[in-house]
Amino acid sequence: MKRGKQVDENVYFIIHIDKKVRMEDFTDRLPVSDRIFFSRRVKVSWGGFGMIEAVVEMLRTMYERHIQPDYVHLLSGQDFPLKSNPETVRFFREHQGRNFLEARPIPSPRLSESGLNRIQYKWFIEEEGYHKAAQLVEIQRQRNMIRPYFPDIQAYNGSQWWSLTGDCVQWLYQTCCPGNRLYDFYKYTFCSDEMLFHTALLNSEWKDSITNRNFRYIDWHSGPEYPKMWRSEDFERLISSDNLFARKFDETVDREILDKLNSYTRIKPEPVKKPVILFRFHKNPPVCLNRIELLKLYNPDIPIYGIYGGNEEDFRTFDELVNGHLAGVYRIKNRTGDWNWQNFDLALREWYRDCGKEIDFDTAYVVEWDLLLFVPLNEIYAGINKNELDITGLTPLSSVENQWSWTTGALRDGYVRLMEFVQKTYACSKASFASLGPGLCFPKSFLAGYSAIDVPELSNDEVRVPYICAGFRLYHEKYRLFRWLVRFGKAHPF
């Protein structure tokens, strides 16, 4: 925040500043924003329960401010993002409903004494400090004063840094509070911040929603510090990672790496300057003409190109009716009506190859013939940049996969084969969303790329477009040929 001096309008920051330090040393260095809030301060000691109390206070502040987030990310002052805000937002929209938390069962071979010493003895770190608390633990050990654990609960340990859904965090806030048996027990453990939330979640109905990874890049092996303090020579290693955040950073060790990452992650918007409208139509000539006239009324400076997907014998009627109203009409040839209905993305590839590539534009707004619009398209797409692709009407496939005609019954084979193709060809994971065609927004750079790759006639465009777009984006970003942003789930006033 100090470097950027800007706060994304969709992001809130809830900050806890340790009660042991001067608050002004931090607040004076932060930008003024109505999206930055400070929680009640508590004293935090390494390994002590103050870490948990600090998180609880930040959540309390969040709810007092009536903030209802989609995701909550727990970060420290020594973390830094590795991706731009749009890329990070896209990741969590693609994985909507998943909770990202690194955890492993206790006993664990990765921990001293398998981690049992953390929970078997009472640690009074906040009351006595770490060293005195460790001496008291040794006395308990010598006297065999082992605390009984819960027979119905499996203990877990892991990194304290996580990214959880708003609903999951609300459950944690309501559950991990004084009077709860886990909260009261872990108040006197060692490094409770690495155990309490993990144990609570993995012994609850949230267990199946958890991905055992937090997407923080932390190097515990290279040194010279453990974990490593990232330096400017690590820049390529950091930006080539698929992690979203990294730690640790320290300006007194290397300031340049932070400046490099800040520049890398701050995408400079390029507004749409030369849009065109692609009007998709195939029947009902009088309605089509009315829609074209409305489009011209609200978008007088944007050329409109027609893409006709109806029967060949009816084309002359349409052509005569819309002649003079459109900048050009492209007829999809030698295709059936069912093919055109099912494969508009493939028809769009044909249009681009045959004539679209010669047109001077940077973004194409796709409008269906039966959409009734009373708002200028530049206003509808005001937040779109010229290298951004917009897919509307996204629906999680998990919510429709078992009843949607395109993913069940006789058509399921095409859906499965499409997934296999994209996963193999473009290293993309399983499809996450289906989409609706009306309202698509394609940058020319994307159409050029989409027209150059292999796209199979499998399933339909409502599955293929969001799926192959995601796979193609990953493929090209990996080799740095070009990049764009995919804005999932953007609402438009259709």
Side-chain angles (χ1 to χ4, degrees):
M1 284 188 296
K2 187 189 81 169
R3 280 176 165 71
K5 298 296 184 186
Q6 294 180 6
V7 178
D8 190 295
E9 64 178 9
N10 297 312
V11 179
Y12 291 89
F13 290 87
I14 314 295
I15 302 173
H16 176 268
I17 298 176
D18 195 328
K19 200 172 184 178
K20 300 192 302 293
V21 301
R22 270 176 31 96
M23 188 166 183
E24 294 77 10
D25 292 342
F26 296 88
T27 55
D28 290 349
R29 305 174 71 188
L30 292 175
V32 176
S33 171
D34 60 359
R35 294 181 178 270
I36 299 176
F37 304 103
F38 296 92
S39 71
R40 187 180 70 86
R41 303 169 68 195
V42 299
K43 184 184 75 170
V44 177
S45 302
W46 180 80
F49 198 69
M51 294 279 197
I52 294 291
E53 293 177 321
V55 173
V56 170
E57 288 301 327
M58 286 189 286
L59 296 180
R60 189 193 315 280
T61 300
M62 183 176 76
Y63 294 124
E64 288 175 349
R65 297 287 182 169
H66 306 291
I67 300 169
Q68 298 294 327
D70 294 321
Y71 272 89
V72 177
H73 310 283
L74 183 61
L75 302 167
S76 83
Q78 290 188 286
D79 294 8
F80 205 84
L82 299 181
K83 310 296 181 187
S84 68
N85 279 2
E87 289 174 299
T88 302
V89 169
R90 181 178 67 238
F91 174 88
F92 287 101
R93 284 182 176 164
E94 289 176 355
H95 298 87
Q96 190 171 5
R98 299 301 300 174
N99 290 290
F100 299 91
L101 175 82
E102 178 190 295
R104 65 192 71 87
I106 293 176
S108 170
R110 296 177 59 175
L111 299 174
S112 173
E113 300 184 37
S114 299
L116 293 173
N117 61 322
R118 300 182 176 213
I119 59 177
Q120 286 183 335
Y121 308 108
K122 273 198 168 184
W123 291 79
F124 298 93
I125 295 176
E126 298 299 347
E127 294 81 2
E128 305 291 344
Y130 172 76
H131 295 292
K132 182 64 178 295
Q135 293 173 1
L136 293 173
V137 164
E138 186 58 33
I139 293 173
Q140 295 174 65
R141 189 197 310 274
Q142 293 171 5
R143 296 180 180 179
N144 199 30
M145 298 170 62
I146 296 178
R147 303 174 74 192
Y149 196 69
F150 308 104
D152 59 331
I153 292 180
Q154 169 65 56
Y156 286 89
N157 161 270
S159 170
Q160 74 180 97
W161 314 110
W162 39 252
S163 294
L164 305 176
T165 64
D167 290 342
C168 181
V169 166
Q170 186 173 27
W171 180 87
L172 273 179
Y173 178 71
Q174 294 170 345
T175 302
C176 296
C177 56
N180 172 269
R181 60 173 179 162
L182 280 179
Y183 183 94
D184 293 343
F185 180 90
Y186 277 91
K187 187 172 184 178
Y188 298 102
T189 57
F190 175 52
C191 290
S192 55
D193 55 309
E194 298 179 354
M195 297 186 293
L196 173 58
F197 296 147
H198 309 64
T199 301
L201 289 172
L202 287 164
N203 284 277
S204 75
E205 68 269 18
W206 294 100
K207 178 178 181 179
D208 292 338
S209 72
I210 292 175
T211 297
N212 191 12
R213 184 179 174 189
N214 62 9
F215 285 89
R216 271 68 168 172
Y217 198 177
I218 308 172
D219 183 351
W220 288 95
H221 306 290
S222 299
E225 310 86 9
Y226 299 94
K228 175 185 174 64
M229 293 288 182
W230 296 106
R231 293 165 170 81
S232 56
E233 59 264 27
D234 301 311
F235 177 71
E236 290 296 331
R237 180 181 167 193
L238 288 167
I239 64 172
S240 63
S241 164
D242 65 346
N243 287 288
L244 303 175
F245 306 95
R247 69 186 316 268
K248 289 182 170 183
F249 296 91
D250 190 329
E251 287 188 340
T252 64
V253 174
D254 193 312
R255 180 188 298 266
E256 183 181 356
I257 182 59
L258 291 168
D259 292 334
K260 284 184 175 181
L261 287 173
N262 184 60
S263 177
Y264 176 78
T265 57
R266 288 178 60 80
I267 292 182
K268 298 176 177 59
E270 296 183 78
V272 173
K273 294 181 179 179
K274 294 183 179 180
V276 297
I277 297 172
L278 299 182
F279 182 74
R280 180 186 179 188
F281 65 107
H282 66 284
K283 66 177 183 179
N284 207 328
V287 172
C288 290
L289 181 59
N290 172 264
R291 299 298 186 265
I292 293 170
E293 290 175 342
L294 279 174
L295 285 171
K296 293 179 70 175
L297 176 65
Y298 286 98
N299 307 274
D301 299 322
I302 303 180
I304 305 173
Y305 293 85
I307 299 182
Y308 176 74
N311 297 325
E312 290 192 27
E313 58 268 25
D314 296 331
F315 177 69
R316 180 181 295 275
T317 300
F318 277 94
D319 192 38
E320 291 176 353
L321 187 66
V322 301
N323 185 33
H325 295 275
L326 298 175
V329 178
Y330 179 80
R331 177 166 60 93
I332 304 168
K333 301 175 183 177
N334 303 319
R335 302 292 191 182
T336 66
D338 285 344
W339 187 95
N340 291 328
W341 168 67
Q342 184 175 340
N343 300 290
F344 176 67
D345 61 320
L346 304 183
L348 192 59
R349 295 168 82 235
E350 294 182 4
W351 170 82
Y352 184 83
R353 289 170 174 171
D354 291 347
C355 58
K357 63 184 179 183
E358 305 300 333
I359 298 172
D360 184 18
F361 74 99
D362 55 27
T363 296
Y365 303 142
V366 178
V367 178
E368 300 277 351
W369 71 277
D370 54 355
L371 276 178
L372 190 58
L373 302 177
F374 295 101
V375 180
L377 285 165
N378 280 338
E379 183 177 327
I380 292 174
Y381 289 105
I384 297 291
N385 297 318
K386 72 175 185 179
N387 289 316
E388 291 183 334
L389 183 155
D390 197 276
I391 301 177
T392 54
L394 287 200
T395 302
L397 262 174
S398 58
S399 68
V400 298
E401 187 173 3
N402 294 328
Q403 63 254 26
W404 196 21
S405 59
W406 295 108
T407 54
T408 59
L411 299 178
R412 182 167 178 81
D413 179 65
Y415 166 65
V416 172
R417 288 165 57 200
L418 174 67
M419 287 196 299
E420 292 172 347
F421 172 84
V422 178
Q423 289 168 15
K424 179 179 179 180
T425 308
Y426 302 119
C428 184
S429 60
K430 182 179 178 181
S432 298
F433 290 94
S435 69
L436 297 176
L440 293 169
C441 175
F442 292 119
K444 189 175 186 178
S445 59
F446 170 79
L447 291 175
Y450 198 68
S451 299
I453 66 169
D454 185 15
V455 181
E457 292 185 21
L458 296 171
S459 194
N460 82 326
D461 49 13
E462 293 178 348
V463 177
R464 196 165 48 232
V465 169
Y467 193 21
I468 291 187
C469 285
F472 186 47
R473 170 181 51 78
L474 292 172
Y475 180 77
H476 279 282
E477 282 190 357
K478 180 177 179 182
Y479 293 102
R480 301 186 184 282
L481 298 183
F482 56 91
R483 76 194 260 182
W484 55 82
L485 306 177
V486 181
R487 298 163 58 96
F488 284 105
K490 183 177 175 62
H492 293 308
F494 287 138

